[in-house]
Amino acid sequence: MDCIFCKIIEGEIPSYKLYEDDNVLAFLDITQGTKGHTLIIPKKHVRNVYELDEETTLNVFKVVPKIARALKDAFNPIGLNIINNNDKPLQSVFHFHIHLIPRYEDDGMTLNTINHYGEYNPEYFESLVKTIKEQIKSAK
Ligand code: 5GP
Ligand code: ZN
């Protein structure tokens, strides 16, 4: 398969591996957005969150606190962001991955959210709930 992360898992492409078990690999992001920027991926090739099954999800997410604590203890960041991009506009590698991005004073990293607080009425919130709940399906 022509997937850069599958090639990293197979060792066909070198990487700086931090943690590995039967199902999961954690390694340094090549761009090092901040010191310690890490990616956690399932060994099973899954395009993104929409394709994740429950078992793979558990396997990947149970590793997240372990690596987060290691980064905290290693570099003493002031905080840490967990990011996951799915399709547009930001996903560039189509093998599910979680970014762990330790944060430091004046690190230049921008992850801004937009605040629409106060712009919507209760009916709007209720309509969102109704629309989304209709689409929540039982786990396969
Ligand atoms: P995305 O934009 O899909 O959420 O993130 C993909 C990430 O994969 C980027 O942060 C990018 O730096 C990283 N990446 C892409 N190619 C490689 C590679 O060959 N090795 C490593 N270690 N990271 C990579
Ligand atoms: Zn892959």
Side-chain angles (χ1 to χ4, degrees), residues 120-134:
Y120 301 113
N121 60 28
E123 288 72 28
Y124 177 73
F125 281 94
E126 291 294 348
S127 74
L128 293 184
V129 169
K130 183 170 182 292
T131 305
I132 298 165
K133 276 179 129 177
E134 282 170 4

Side-chain angles (χ1 to χ4, degrees), residues 72-87:
K72 187 174 193 295
D73 292 345
F75 301 127
N76 195 28
I78 59 169
L80 181 139
N81 294 128
I82 296 174
I83 306 291
N84 157 242
N85 297 314
N86 301 283
D87 291 337

Side-chain angles (χ1 to χ4, degrees), residues 60-73:
V60 175
F61 278 85
K62 76 180 180 195
V63 173
V64 170
K66 187 194 298 286
I67 305 301
R69 284 190 285 263
L71 292 169
K72 187 174 193 295
D73 292 345

Side-chain angles (χ1 to χ4, degrees), residues 4-5 8 13 15 27-31 37 39 85 90-93 97 99:
I4 199 160
F5 287 177
I8 284 174
I13 293 175
S15 67
F27 59 103
L28 291 177
D29 190 295
I30 200 74
T31 60
H37 181 181
L39 300 173
N85 297 314
L90 289 177
Q91 187 174 10
S92 61
V93 176
H97 52 280
H99 295 258

Side-chain angles (χ1 to χ4, degrees), residues 13-59:
I13 293 175
S15 67
Y16 296 96
K17 296 183 178 177
L18 298 173
Y19 171 86
E20 185 168 13
D21 63 29
D22 288 346
N23 305 300
V24 178
L25 177 66
F27 59 103
L28 291 177
D29 190 295
I30 200 74
T31 60
Q32 285 301 285
T34 66
K35 186 168 72 177
H37 181 181
T38 294
L39 300 173
I40 303 178
I41 64 174
K43 290 188 173 177
K44 178 178 177 178
H45 179 87
V46 175
R47 178 183 168 90
N48 56 30
V49 72
Y50 305 121
E51 288 189 1
L52 269 180
D53 59 77
E54 283 191 359
E55 186 183 352
T56 307
T57 306
L58 289 172
N59 288 337

